[in-house]
């Protein structure tokens, strides 16, 4: 489905002969591999691709190399890496700014922003104070409020300017993600200068995020400060802050959404895709398709599930939101 979105954007751009396809935080490379397999029949599209993976972990780079069926080949005196899924060259970068500019750009950020570091602030008698980590008497970690103003207050004041007085009155805590603001500005700059667009899909809300930081270890929630480094940390993405950051960075871009993941995938035709795949698969594959479909577009527990209770598929269709940032020249992106 994301491949369909990328191809529609490429067509809106006038089918450029070269395009930078950039994924931020590609994880194991599964989404990109599916995108390339799904679009393999559209030769003009795949022929135009330069694939750029923004990934700073050498371990994950190796996993992505294998998932994308990469091979190194020599071109004259130079070596390059090519994905055998579509024949496109593949490059790795530690940050978005390192990706060479000059070509129209399609950026995909799926579950990327939720892993970026956040600052938490709490309202008290002294005004807003930043939540910090302190060492207790027994050498364990604990949360405390900063006795002095911290440098991050500049980002809090920026976030508060984007909120209504009514919204601010309702909250006792606010989470701010300076890194998300910075990367959104880079995305907007890139799309403004090179053309193209970005699709951001993540767990979040379209407004101030109050207290969402969580730690998950072996599929169970644990305390944030319990054995740091052993759990997966994530926080809700503040889509309103992303929108404002992008719009302040450039007058040449437009921001669309957020809409729910369920609306996005439904509009892109996921129902037809699932029906087509169901035509020629065995019962085990059909079960996998049904549960996968429900997780992506359903809401809450799957009503059709007959297996063990602890494995009931939970629908995330309305918890995940999707937003697009595009160059104004191209008009509205599908399906916003």
């Amino acid at each position: 489905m994301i491949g369909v979105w990328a191809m529609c954007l490429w067509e809106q751009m006038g089918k450029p002969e070269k395009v930078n396809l950039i994924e931020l935080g590609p994880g194991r490379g599964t989404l990109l591999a599916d995108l390339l397999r799904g679009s393999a029949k559209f030769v003009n599209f795949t022929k135009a691709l330069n694939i750029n993976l923004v990934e700073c972990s050498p371990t994950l780079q190796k996993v992505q190399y294998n998932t994308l069926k990469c091979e190194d080949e020599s071109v004259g005196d130079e070596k390059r890496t090519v994905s055998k899924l579509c024949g496109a060259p593949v490059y790795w970068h530690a940050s978005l700014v390192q990706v060479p500019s000059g070509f129209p750009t399609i950026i995909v950020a799926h579950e990327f922003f939720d892993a970026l570091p956040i600052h938490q602030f709490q309202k008290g008698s002294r005004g807003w104070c930043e939540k910090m980590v302190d060492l207790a008497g027994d050498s364990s970690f604990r949360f405390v409020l900063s006795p002095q103003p911290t440098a991050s207050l500049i980002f809090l004041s920026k976030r508060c300017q984007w909120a209504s007085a009514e919204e601010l009155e309702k909250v006792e805590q606010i989470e701010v993600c300076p890194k998300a603001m910075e990367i959104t500005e880079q995305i907007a700059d890139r799309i403004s200068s090179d053309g193209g667009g970005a699709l951001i899909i993540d767990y979040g809300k379209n407004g101030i995020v109050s207290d969402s930081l969580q730690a998950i270890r072996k599929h169970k929630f644990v305390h944030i400060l319990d054995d740091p480094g052993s759990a997966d940390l994530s926080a809700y993405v503040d889509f309103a802050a992303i929108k404002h950051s992008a719009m302040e960075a450039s007058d040449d871009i437009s921001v669309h959404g957020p809409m729910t993941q369920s609306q996005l995938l439904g509009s892109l035709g996921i129902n037809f895709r699932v029906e087509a795949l169901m035509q020629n698969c065995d019962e085990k594959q059909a079960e996998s398709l049904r549960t996968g479909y429900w997780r992506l577009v359903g809401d809450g527990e799957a009503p059709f599930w007959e297996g063990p209770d602890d494995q009931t598929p939970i629908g995330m269709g309305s918890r995940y939101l999707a937003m697009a940032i595009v160059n104004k020249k191209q008009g509205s992106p599908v399906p916003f």
Side-chain angles (χ1 to χ4, degrees):
M1 294 295 100
I2 306 302
V4 169
W5 185 86
M7 278 191 287
C8 288
L9 184 66
W10 175 71
E11 287 189 347
Q12 269 184 310
M13 288 192 264
K15 301 183 182 177
E17 283 183 19
K18 275 288 164 229
V19 65
N20 271 333
L21 176 62
I22 303 171
E23 186 176 3
L24 305 178
R28 304 181 66 80
T30 315
L31 183 144
L32 197 52
D34 286 346
L35 186 157
L36 296 174
R37 276 193 202 96
S39 57
K41 288 177 188 167
F42 302 91
V43 184
N44 289 346
F45 173 69
T46 54
K47 216 161 62 179
L49 296 178
N50 281 328
I51 299 166
N52 295 273
L53 305 180
V54 175
E55 177 59 72
C56 51
S57 159
T59 309
L60 284 174
Q61 285 182 8
K62 282 180 190 149
V63 175
Q64 292 153 11
Y65 183 97
N66 293 329
T67 306
L68 296 179
K69 306 274 188 280
C70 287
E71 287 181 14
D72 297 333
E73 53 181 50
S74 299
V75 182
D77 293 340
E78 291 184 10
K79 263 195 175 173
R80 68 172 194 166
T81 302
V82 170
S83 166
K84 291 299 172 185
L85 294 176
C86 67
V90 183
Y91 309 93
W92 278 267
H93 314 272
S95 65
L96 177 58
V97 290
Q98 289 177 9
V99 180
S101 57
F103 292 129
T105 296
I106 299 171
I107 298 172
V108 176
H110 174 256
E111 288 192 37
F112 169 73
F113 281 92
D114 72 338
L116 298 176
I118 57 151
H119 294 264
Q120 284 186 330
F121 298 90
Q122 195 165 311
K123 201 187 278 178
S125 54
R126 294 179 284 128
W128 289 102
C129 298
E130 184 166 4
K131 223 173 173 184
M132 315 291 274
V133 178
D134 185 36
L135 207 53
D138 62 355
S139 294
S140 63
F141 290 116
R142 62 175 182 176
F143 284 119
V144 294
L145 292 180
S146 169
Q148 278 97 28
T150 56
S152 320
L153 277 168
I154 190 167
F155 296 103
L156 176 70
S157 70
K158 192 173 192 178
R159 182 63 189 90
C160 290
Q161 283 167 14
W162 295 334
S164 66
E166 190 186 13
E167 194 180 9
L168 289 169
E169 261 170 42
K170 286 181 192 163
V171 292
E172 295 297 315
Q173 292 195 77
I174 295 181
E175 285 178 359
V176 180
C177 184
K179 197 73 189 164
M181 294 177 184
E182 181 194 329
I183 290 171
T184 302
E185 285 166 16
Q186 291 170 5
I187 289 172
D189 287 343
R190 174 70 58 126
I191 291 165
S192 166
S193 62
D194 290 353
L199 182 64
I200 298 164
I201 302 176
D202 229 311
Y203 203 67
K205 58 182 285 195
N206 190 25
I208 282 179
V209 176
S210 177
D211 183 17
S212 73
L213 182 65
Q214 55 192 29
I216 298 172
R217 187 188 301 126
K218 294 178 182 166
H219 306 290
K220 287 192 171 64
F221 289 108
V222 292
H223 191 276
I224 301 287
L225 299 178
D226 176 35
D227 193 13
S230 68
D232 185 18
L233 301 184
S234 70
Y236 269 37
V237 174
D238 178 348
F239 277 90
I242 288 179
K243 183 173 191 165
H244 285 286
S245 299
M247 288 168 75
E248 281 188 11
S250 170
D251 293 332
D252 300 323
I253 57 100
S254 57
V255 182
H256 304 263
M259 60 168 57
T260 65
Q261 176 170 277
S262 183
Q263 289 169 317
L264 174 82
L265 296 174
S267 304
L268 289 173
I270 192 171
N271 296 8
F272 302 108
R273 184 76 185 124
V274 169
E275 279 170 25
L277 290 169
M278 286 285 218
Q279 298 303 316
N280 43 14
C281 66
D282 58 35
E283 188 45 47
K284 195 178 176 190
Q285 289 169 322
E287 183 68 20
S288 174
L289 280 168
R290 271 194 293 272
T291 57
Y293 171 79
W294 180 263
R295 284 195 177 101
L296 290 174
V297 302
D299 198 2
E301 294 189 355
F304 58 80
W305 184 250
E306 292 174 355
D309 285 351
D310 62 343
Q311 289 171 27
T312 308
I314 307 294
M316 294 294 198
S318 54
R319 289 205 200 173
Y320 276 77
L321 300 179
M323 178 179 269
I325 303 169
V326 297
N327 191 297
K328 277 181 180 169
K329 284 182 200 151
Q330 288 136 221
S332 293
V334 173
F336 290 90

